[in-house]
Amino acid sequence: MSSETKILLAESELPRRWYNLVADLPSPPPPVLHPGTLQPVGPDDLAPLFPMSLIEQEVTAERYVDIPEEVLDVYRLWRPSPLYRAHRLEKALGTPAKIYYKYEGTSPAGSHKPNTAVPQAYYNAAANIRRLTTETGAGQWGTALAFACAQFGLECEVWQVRASYDQKPYRKIMIETFGGTIHPSPSTLTKAGQAVLDADPDSPGSLGIAISEAVEVAAQHSDTNYALGSVLNHVLLHQTVIGEEALLQLAKVGDTPDVIVGCTGGGSNFGGLAFPFLREKLAGRIDPVIRAVEPAACPSLTRGVYAYDFGDTAGMTPLMKMHTLGHDFVPDPIHAGGLRYHGMSPLISHVYELGLIEAVAKTQTECFEAGIRFARTEGIVPAPEPTHALAACIEEALRCRETGEPKVILTALCGHGHLDLAAYGNYLSGAMDDREFSAEDLKTANLPRV
Amino acid sequence: MSSETKILLAESELPRRWYNLVADLPSPPPPVLHPGTLQPVGPDDLAPLFPMSLIEQEVTAERYVDIPEEVLDVYRLWRPSPLYRAHRLEKALGTPAKIYYKYEGTSPAGSHKPNTAVPQAYYNAAANIRRLTTETGAGQWGTALAFACAQFGLECEVWQVRASYDQKPYRKIMIETFGGTIHPSPSTLTKAGQAVLDADPDSPGSLGIAISEAVEVAAQHSDTNYALGSVLNHVLLHQTVIGEEALLQLAKVGDTPDVIVGCTGGGSNFGGLAFPFLREKLAGRIDPVIRAVEPAACPSLTRGVYAYDFGDTAGMTPLMKMHTLGHDFVPDPIHAGGLRYHGMSPLISHVYELGLIEAVAKTQTECFEAGIRFARTEGIVPAPEPTHALAACIEEALRCRETGEPKVILTALCGHGHLDLAAYGNYLSGAMDDREFSAEDLKTANLPRV
């Protein structure tokens, strides 16, 4: 091969600051509102759940936030993460395009989630918090937080949607291996869980219920806080370490991206990769197309409305202005659990409204076909979530084969699929089908009036 | 932290030669014998199963063998692999020792196995072979060979022990994701399998039966060869890329190992790490203790006899002089499937007889305890096999805490445990017990008379 397969950075090149896109936008995103007063929420509203340092990061207008040394020390277990040139995939596609992928699967949880779990655990420990609670669906976020808590001596208590808890025992074991405690949700440990069980003892649970349980416990105990793995500004802030590294890595090989594609669920992986490149684009130094890829079964950007809505199904959170399918919408059980969210990060929604990024939706069979093509050429079995980005990446590379354009395509391979092989088995056996979102699915009748 | 966590090599530093320890030993290992004639086997005896290039590597006395460019191109997907300094584990142990681990879990199969699967597929493709057959137990080797065959356009057909095939569906799916075909063994596709099924339609299978099936198909078709994932000289040769890289990496940080520990099943991971260091030791440049760690349930080096024996349970292979518990021995079903082998690589057995290495045995509960300690500090859930090495590593580090010696300890973390989490679940639930090898277990009555 003519050039390197892996573009690596030394640990001394690990970024020492996170990047806050808000500082460079032509207008700030709309404020988060209190559901009762419809007034912007203040720090005190959030203090029962989050430490003040994270609340400050949530609302800061500063361009950069320093990464604490203690966080950098843990990041070094897997960061800087490798940027790969997909030589073998390019060859198999017969494309003149150059494909680069930033791989986050070498982290302790096997995805990008520890990039924010580690600082969240650090800031909570620094605020003398003893325990963090959270919810998890498929289990990636719960795994990341359990690992992060182990680094700073915090207890970690995870409510996992019962359907996933029963079907995916490996994630539960991985959370316990890292020292976390895990409960199926609904549980008898909370009023919220007990109420659901009273009504339906066999409830399979939902992410909305699990959030309610984790939040209830955090709100009741002064030594306990809650942690969220996507959507919020401070989460996306922490993830920008991905894009900052990728900028450095592409500079090393003298390439600038023409197209950047990433998958979007809550938006943290996409924002993490894209925002530093967006800074460069806003400054006029580069001009890539930046494309979010979402599942056709849960297409909040391409088919949702831009409105104030709740972050959870039960309607307990503050109101966020975002692209939403309605908080009542229950996505089809596609395999990419990490993309099954009715809304989209308010910051990414705002950036989309500003016309700075575009979005497309992909069906899961097209995505798994891309995942298998990728595995056989590049040797990594991707998680179902990033197969969405890979499908869009392959589509672009095949377009380049037609036009002859040697475009530089950058994507985020945000995790491996070792714990998602059942979904691959489903695809390989021909049992997987697609269900696309239709107009009747839009659940916006219950949107709060703001 | 005062020094780097990951010691990385550039792709330009990837070793370009494999190292053959035989060239530097004071005496060569005893020859492999034909089970009928009891005479040393010649190349023609092996030609129905292996390409001549691999047969030559099996018997070569040359010190180095060049790695083909096409193999280096595939190696670059994950090689050079990282060497980690276990800062966080050291701190948790309170030891003055420095612990380094060479991590092979970033490979396509998640272990060191692709280091030999890739050249084996390459040489077979170069010899115009169309298909490779093999057996697999837990599934690591089958996964590695399926990936390797996909790189060189070969078909890959894997017979997996039925008990594992039924219990570990994820490995089967991963093999299929890489394009391999997998059959439960015993199967109706071979005379050997059919004979077993005739006698017992519900046979759970065994590695011995699966080998017989894979060998039968390879021997019957001139376009089909057989591939083995451990034990043989050419397999250990290919794995020396691990130790060659580790030598370069330790040199970068100015350390030389006082103790090297690795787990041993067939011996390929241990030999791959240790042999290049053994070269340096034989040349008088370094003087580390080199320690093999085997399961207490299957302790071929520490409790077996050194004698000629068959490589398989059914007694179909050539005779190899090795440490063996008897080819009739069926190891206890411990979770470290990769270490459940009645014998030991003849080359490692020979080196042990020469007094160049030492060996210890560990129970599985001690190993899983070490694995969990490692996961919580270093963020990687190890496969059950390398937890044996980690247990010995921790033992040595704690000894250093007593004596105050700042020893440099090097170990091989030969794979991740993402597909072995059921074993961790077993340990965490308190359901795991230990069964140690006892004198009555030794099955040497049927050893062939040589």
Side-chain angles (χ1 to χ4, degrees):
Chain A
M1 302 283 176
S2 53
S3 64
E4 284 178 326
T5 298
K6 300 178 294 298
I7 300 109
L8 302 175
L9 297 176
E11 286 179 13
S12 58
E13 296 172 287
L14 180 56
R16 304 185 77 83
R17 305 183 300 181
W18 295 301
Y19 168 61
N20 176 24
L21 178 65
V22 173
D24 288 317
L25 289 178
S27 65
V32 172
L33 303 182
H34 189 287
T37 64
L38 298 186
Q39 294 301 305
V41 296
D44 290 348
D45 295 315
L46 301 170
L49 297 182
F50 302 106
M52 203 47 70
S53 44
L54 289 176
I55 295 171
E56 283 164 11
Q57 290 182 4
E58 186 64 23
V59 298
T60 184
E62 291 293 318
R63 182 167 283 112
Y64 293 101
V65 174
D66 286 340
I67 307 176
E69 276 302 325
E70 294 86 346
V71 171
L72 289 170
D73 272 349
V74 184
Y75 273 181
R76 287 190 188 96
L77 288 175
W78 75 97
R79 304 213 72 87
S81 71
L83 179 75
Y84 284 83
R85 170 81 185 273
H87 285 298
R88 304 181 82 84
L89 176 63
E90 292 170 16
K91 197 176 162 192
L93 295 174
T95 181
K98 290 183 182 176
I99 301 173
Y100 291 95
Y101 58 96
K102 179 73 169 161
Y103 185 42
E104 294 293 309
T106 58
S107 85
S111 76
H112 64 296
K113 293 290 185 189
N115 295 333
T116 184
V118 171
Q120 289 194 49
Y122 166 75
Y123 289 116
N124 275 289
N128 290 314
I129 290 298
R130 187 183 62 79
R131 174 174 62 161
L132 287 182
T133 65
T134 199
E135 75 290 336
T136 203
Q140 271 285 5
W141 170 242
T143 308
L145 195 67
F147 161 75
C149 284
Q151 304 318 302
F152 298 105
L154 292 174
E155 288 179 28
C156 178
E157 210 160 338
V158 180
W159 275 262
Q160 183 174 29
V161 177
R162 179 179 281 282
S164 297
Y165 182 93
D166 291 338
Q167 286 162 20
K168 296 199 162 187
Y170 274 26
R171 271 291 170 198
K172 167 181 173 292
I173 297 167
M174 198 159 176
I175 288 169
E176 290 174 342
T177 297
F178 282 134
T181 303
I182 182 162
H183 312 291
S185 168
S187 75
T188 57
L189 300 167
T190 65
K191 287 179 190 165
Q194 188 64 62
V196 175
L197 288 173
D198 287 346
D200 176 10
D202 297 324
S203 167
S206 74
L207 215 43
I209 298 166
I211 292 176
S212 302
E213 295 204 86
V215 166
E216 179 182 319
V217 172
Q220 278 174 347
H221 300 270
S222 62
D223 64 352
T224 304
N225 270 346
Y226 168 74
L228 192 67
S230 190
V231 178
L232 299 181
N233 293 350
H234 70 271
V235 177
L236 273 63
L237 175 82
H238 300 154
Q239 294 292 357
T240 58
V241 67
I242 301 172
E244 294 288 13
E245 287 180 5
L247 267 170
L248 290 174
Q249 287 163 312
L250 282 178
K252 274 187 192 275
V253 291
D255 272 327
T256 52
D258 298 302
V259 184
I260 297 172
V261 293
C263 63
T264 46
S268 74
N269 154 66
F270 177 79
L273 177 72
F275 284 1
F277 287 91
L278 204 43
R279 173 189 65 214
E280 301 303 305
K281 181 175 170 133
L282 288 163
R285 288 187 283 267
I286 58 174
D287 191 24
V289 168
I290 302 178
R291 187 174 296 145
V293 191
E294 55 187 14
C298 191
S300 56
L301 281 174
T302 56
R303 307 287 296 275
V305 297
Y306 184 53
Y308 271 99
D309 199 2
F310 293 105
D312 67 327
T313 308
M316 294 174 63
T317 69
L319 297 174
M320 297 178 285
K321 191 155 188 190
M322 60 183 178
H323 286 81
T324 178
L325 302 168
H327 62 274
D328 295 341
F329 176 67
V330 178
D332 204 47
I334 57 162
H335 293 295
L339 307 184
R340 291 183 68 228
Y341 185 62
H342 69 272
M344 176 53 58
S345 147
L347 190 49
I348 288 178
S349 296
H350 179 60
V351 165
Y352 184 61
E353 285 298 308
L354 291 172
L356 296 172
I357 62 171
E358 56 180 60
V360 296
K362 293 279 173 199
T363 60
Q364 67 174 343
T365 51
E366 180 183 353
C367 296
F368 274 92
E369 186 190 343
I372 284 176
R373 201 164 195 171
F374 186 84
R376 290 185 186 170
T377 49
E378 295 292 316
I380 298 171
V381 179
E385 290 81 0
T387 63
H388 290 72
L390 292 173
C393 201
I394 288 172
E395 182 179 49
E396 185 73 37
L398 292 177
R399 205 146 43 208
C400 289
R401 187 175 68 185
E402 298 305 312
T403 63
E405 290 170 286
K407 285 187 181 174
V408 175
I409 306 170
L410 169 66
T411 192
L413 185 61
C414 59
H416 64 64
H418 300 159
L419 301 187
D420 305 290
L421 284 163
Y424 279 87
N426 193 257
Y427 173 80
L428 288 164
S429 70
M432 184 178 284
D433 53 18
D434 287 320
R435 186 187 160 289
E436 290 195 45
F437 187 87
S438 71
E440 303 91 74
D441 291 329
L442 207 58
K443 303 283 187 192
T444 50
N446 274 338
L447 285 189
R449 295 186 179 222
V450 177
Chain B
M1 301 285 176
S2 54
S3 64
E4 284 179 328
T5 299
K6 300 178 295 298
I7 300 110
L8 303 174
L9 297 176
E11 286 180 12
S12 58
E13 295 172 287
L14 180 56
R16 305 185 73 83
R17 305 182 302 180
W18 294 301
Y19 169 61
N20 177 24
L21 178 66
V22 173
D24 288 318
L25 289 179
S27 64
V32 172
L33 303 182
H34 189 287
T37 64
L38 298 186
Q39 295 301 304
V41 295
D44 290 349
D45 295 315
L46 300 171
L49 296 183
F50 301 106
M52 203 47 70
S53 44
L54 288 176
I55 295 171
E56 283 165 9
Q57 291 182 5
E58 186 64 23
V59 298
T60 184
E62 292 293 318
R63 181 168 285 111
Y64 293 101
V65 175
D66 287 340
I67 306 176
E69 277 301 326
E70 293 86 345
V71 172
L72 290 170
D73 272 347
V74 184
Y75 274 179
R76 287 191 189 96
L77 289 176
W78 74 97
R79 303 213 74 84
S81 70
L83 179 75
Y84 284 83
R85 171 81 186 275
H87 286 296
R88 303 180 85 82
L89 176 62
E90 291 170 17
K91 196 174 164 194
L93 295 173
T95 180
K98 290 182 183 178
I99 302 173
Y100 290 95
Y101 57 96
K102 179 74 170 160
Y103 185 42
E104 294 293 308
T106 58
S107 84
S111 75
H112 64 297
K113 293 290 184 189
N115 294 333
T116 184
V118 171
Q120 289 195 48
Y122 166 75
Y123 289 117
N124 275 289
N128 290 317
I129 289 298
R130 185 182 64 80
R131 175 174 61 164
L132 287 181
T133 66
T134 198
E135 76 290 335
T136 203
Q140 270 285 4
W141 169 242
T143 308
L145 196 66
F147 161 74
C149 284
Q151 304 318 303
F152 298 105
L154 292 174
E155 288 179 27
C156 178
E157 211 160 337
V158 181
W159 275 261
Q160 183 173 28
V161 177
R162 179 179 282 281
S164 297
Y165 182 93
D166 291 338
Q167 287 162 20
K168 295 196 162 192
Y170 274 26
R171 272 290 170 199
K172 167 182 174 290
I173 297 167
M174 198 159 175
I175 288 169
E176 290 174 340
T177 297
F178 282 137
T181 303
I182 183 162
H183 312 291
S185 168
S187 75
T188 56
L189 300 167
T190 65
K191 286 179 191 166
Q194 188 64 62
V196 175
L197 289 173
D198 287 347
D200 177 8
D202 296 323
S203 167
S206 74
L207 217 44
I209 297 166
I211 293 175
S212 303
E213 295 203 86
V215 166
E216 180 183 318
V217 171
Q220 279 176 346
H221 299 87
S222 60
D223 64 353
T224 304
N225 270 347
Y226 168 74
L228 193 66
S230 190
V231 178
L232 301 180
N233 293 352
H234 70 272
V235 177
L236 274 64
L237 175 82
H238 300 154
Q239 294 292 356
T240 58
V241 67
I242 301 172
E244 294 288 14
E245 288 180 5
L247 267 170
L248 290 174
Q249 287 164 314
L250 282 178
K252 275 186 192 275
V253 289
D255 272 327
T256 52
D258 298 301
V259 184
I260 298 172
V261 294
C263 64
T264 46
S268 74
N269 155 66
F270 177 79
L273 178 72
F275 285 0
F277 287 91
L278 205 42
R279 173 189 65 215
E280 302 302 305
K281 180 174 171 137
L282 287 163
R285 288 186 283 266
I286 58 175
D287 191 26
V289 168
I290 302 178
R291 187 173 297 144
V293 191
E294 54 188 15
C298 190
S300 55
L301 282 173
T302 55
R303 306 288 294 275
V305 298
Y306 185 52
Y308 271 100
D309 198 2
F310 294 105
D312 66 329
T313 308
M316 295 173 63
T317 69
L319 296 173
M320 297 178 285
K321 191 155 189 191
M322 59 183 180
H323 286 80
T324 178
L325 302 168
H327 60 275
D328 295 340
F329 175 67
V330 178
D332 203 49
I334 57 163
H335 293 295
L339 307 183
R340 291 181 69 226
Y341 185 61
H342 70 271
M344 177 52 59
S345 150
L347 189 49
I348 287 177
S349 295
H350 179 60
V351 165
Y352 184 61
E353 285 299 308
L354 291 171
L356 296 171
I357 62 171
E358 56 181 60
V360 296
K362 293 280 173 200
T363 60
Q364 67 174 342
T365 50
E366 181 183 353
C367 296
F368 274 92
E369 186 190 343
I372 284 176
R373 202 164 194 171
F374 186 84
R376 290 184 187 172
T377 50
E378 295 292 316
I380 298 171
V381 179
E385 291 80 1
T387 63
H388 290 73
L390 292 172
C393 201
I394 288 171
E395 182 179 48
E396 186 73 36
L398 291 177
R399 206 146 43 210
C400 289
R401 186 175 67 184
E402 298 307 314
T403 63
E405 290 171 285
K407 284 187 182 176
V408 175
I409 306 170
L410 169 66
T411 191
L413 184 62
C414 60
H416 64 65
H418 300 160
L419 301 188
D420 305 289
L421 284 163
Y424 279 87
N426 193 256
Y427 173 81
L428 288 164
S429 70
M432 185 177 282
D433 54 16
D434 287 321
R435 186 188 159 288
E436 289 196 46
F437 188 86
S438 72
E440 304 92 74
D441 290 330
L442 206 59
K443 303 283 186 192
T444 50
N446 272 339
L447 285 188
R449 294 183 180 225
V450 175

